[in-house]
Amino acid sequence: MSGERSSDTDRTSPRAPGSKGSPRTERRWPMAAAVIASAVLTLLLPDDLRLGPRWALPLAEGLLLVVLISGDPGRISRRSTVLRAVAIALVVVLVGSAIWSTLQLIDDLIHGGHETNSADALLLAGGSVWVTTVLAFSLLYFELDSGGPAARTHHMPPTPALAFPQHLSPELQAAHWRPHYIDYLYLGFTNSTALSPTDVMPLAPWAKSVMTLQSVLSLMILGLVVARAVNVLA
């Protein structure tokens, strides 16, 4: 995604000493693949679990993604307030959609819905909502931590919002190390399965709040969906 404040023409990509490439910069395609996967899962959801018409959210996500790719393709290094705003808007759409789908699924489980009477349909819908939640929150961590990927390329704060093992253990810290999207995807996955921090520690209040929200949503999905599916099969 984008970074934060600077001119829209700033496309510098600092390189590690002695390196031939730009190992600090983040490739665009992993986050783009996550957005596309989330859009596809949204299309596959039952109508009552989706916010708006079937095409609305995937179209909005696709347009925002195209703007990001057009403004900073290849590797993410351009610090721009416009791209930063677009990236935040994309994250808001993704997370808002995931929360809406989760709440609608819980409502269907409590009050009855057409997909709740079939174990196969329920597990498919619940699994899709759960994966969408993991992708959405991983992109939220990716965009908000230390000002976003472009900002991390140029400068890492002395105290990041999310402390990875490389930050906490000096013997593991590689020179010029930066977290990339796969690190945030792993964080989103482990937080949704363990329902608590594993190897990444939230330091900032916003990080603690977001990880708590994700754990609560995951607990509701996994607990209620599995319980209902077992009840239907029984």
Side-chain angles (χ1 to χ4, degrees), residues 44-62:
L44 297 177
L45 286 176
D47 291 339
D48 57 344
L49 299 184
R50 193 187 310 107
L51 179 61
R54 180 179 296 271
W55 52 268
L57 285 175
L59 177 61
E61 294 162 3

Side-chain angles (χ1 to χ4, degrees), residues 6-215:
S6 186
S7 67
D8 285 356
T9 57
D10 182 2
R11 297 176 83 58
T12 57
S13 300
R15 298 183 179 185
S19 68
K20 295 182 180 179
S22 301
R24 298 184 188 184
T25 56
E26 172 80 19
R27 288 184 175 87
R28 174 67 67 184
W29 71 263
M31 62 77 51
V35 173
I36 293 171
S38 180
V40 171
L41 288 171
T42 300
L43 286 171
L44 297 177
L45 286 176
D47 291 339
D48 57 344
L49 299 184
R50 193 187 310 107
L51 179 61
R54 180 179 296 271
W55 52 268
L57 285 175
L59 177 61
E61 294 162 3
L63 291 175
L64 292 170
L65 180 60
V66 167
V67 172
L68 289 177
I69 294 175
S70 300
D72 192 17
R75 288 182 175 270
I76 307 172
S77 61
R78 182 180 180 184
R79 293 184 292 181
S80 163
T81 54
V82 174
L83 292 180
R84 175 71 168 159
V86 172
I88 294 295
L90 177 57
V91 167
V92 169
V93 171
L94 290 166
V95 174
S97 173
I99 293 175
W100 172 270
S101 296
T102 300
L103 295 179
Q104 289 300 114
L105 177 62
I106 300 306
D107 183 71
D108 281 0
L109 286 167
I110 294 174
H111 299 103
H114 70 273
E115 74 276 352
T116 63
N117 295 320
S118 167
D120 291 342
L122 178 58
L123 290 174
L124 179 60
S128 297
V129 172
W130 186 82
V131 173
T132 301
T133 302
V134 170
L135 293 173
F137 278 86
S138 70
L139 289 166
L140 186 150
Y141 300 133
F142 173 76
E143 183 56 42
L144 294 189
D145 185 31
S146 301
R152 291 192 296 271
T153 293
H154 294 269
H155 173 71
M156 281 293 291
T159 305
L162 295 164
F164 288 85
Q166 288 85 347
H167 299 138
L168 299 173
S169 302
E171 64 273 13
L172 298 178
Q173 185 174 9
H176 310 290
W177 184 84
R178 298 288 190 273
H180 294 294
Y181 176 67
I182 184 62
D183 300 296
Y184 295 101
L185 179 60
Y186 178 75
L187 167 61
F189 176 79
T190 55
N191 195 51
S192 280
T193 52
L195 307 178
S196 63
T198 54
D199 62 334
V200 183
M201 295 295 106
L203 302 182
W206 74 258
K208 296 178 180 180
S209 300
V210 171
M211 290 183 71
T212 299
L213 174 61
Q214 185 190 7
S215 295

